[in-house]
Amino acid sequence: MRHHGLSLGKPFGIPVYVGTSTFLLLLVVAVVSGPGAPINAQGVELITPGVYGGLVAAGLFFSLLLHELFHCLAARRYGLPVISIQFEGYGGQSRFAKAAQSPAPKADVSVAGTLPNVLLHLERWASRTKTTGSTSAHTPLDA
C-alpha cells in the first residue's frame, strides 16, 4: 500500500503520514485562530497571535493523532495488524491489515478513538471546577 505525505515517525511502532492538505488546513486554522489570542484585563495580549494560532493548530493535530492512535491500540489489543495512520484534509484514517470479524472488537476499536477526547474534556471540566468552583462548562472566552 502506498503512503502519501510526510512521515512523522512511528509512535508505538505505527507509521504516521501527513498529507499536504492537512498541513494547509492547519495553516488556515493557525491564521484564523491567531486573532483570538487571550488578553488580560488591561487589554494586553498574553501571547502573540502567531504563536497562539500555531498552538491552536498544534493542539488540533495532537488531538487527531491521539484519536487515531487509540483506534490503533484498541485494534492491536484484538490482534489486528496495524499498517499506518494517514492524515489527509481534516482527519485521519487508521489502516489495518484486516478487519475485526465479530461485533465486540469492531465496537471497541470504533469507540476507542473517542476516549482521548472524553478524557481531555473531563480534565478541562475538573480544572475549571477546581479554579472557579463552578461546574459550568462555559467561560467568558466561550461567549
Side-chain angles (χ1 to χ4, degrees), residues 44-59:
V44 177
E45 290 176 340
L46 300 175
I47 188 171
T48 65
V51 171
Y52 181 74
L55 288 172
V56 169

Side-chain angles (χ1 to χ4, degrees), residues 20-42:
T20 307
S21 60
T22 300
F23 285 116
L24 292 175
L25 184 65
L26 290 172
L27 178 63
V28 169
V29 167
V31 169
V32 170
S33 301
I39 57 172
N40 66 14
Q42 292 78 30

Side-chain angles (χ1 to χ4, degrees), residues 3-19 61 64-65 68-69 72 83-87 92-93:
H3 301 285
H4 301 282
L6 178 68
S7 173
L8 289 188
K10 294 182 177 185
F12 301 101
I14 303 165
V16 176
Y17 301 94
V18 182
F61 181 76
L64 292 171
L65 178 60
E68 294 303 326
L69 281 172
C72 292
I83 297 172
S84 67
I85 296 173
Q86 174 75 47
F87 287 97
Q93 178 184 15

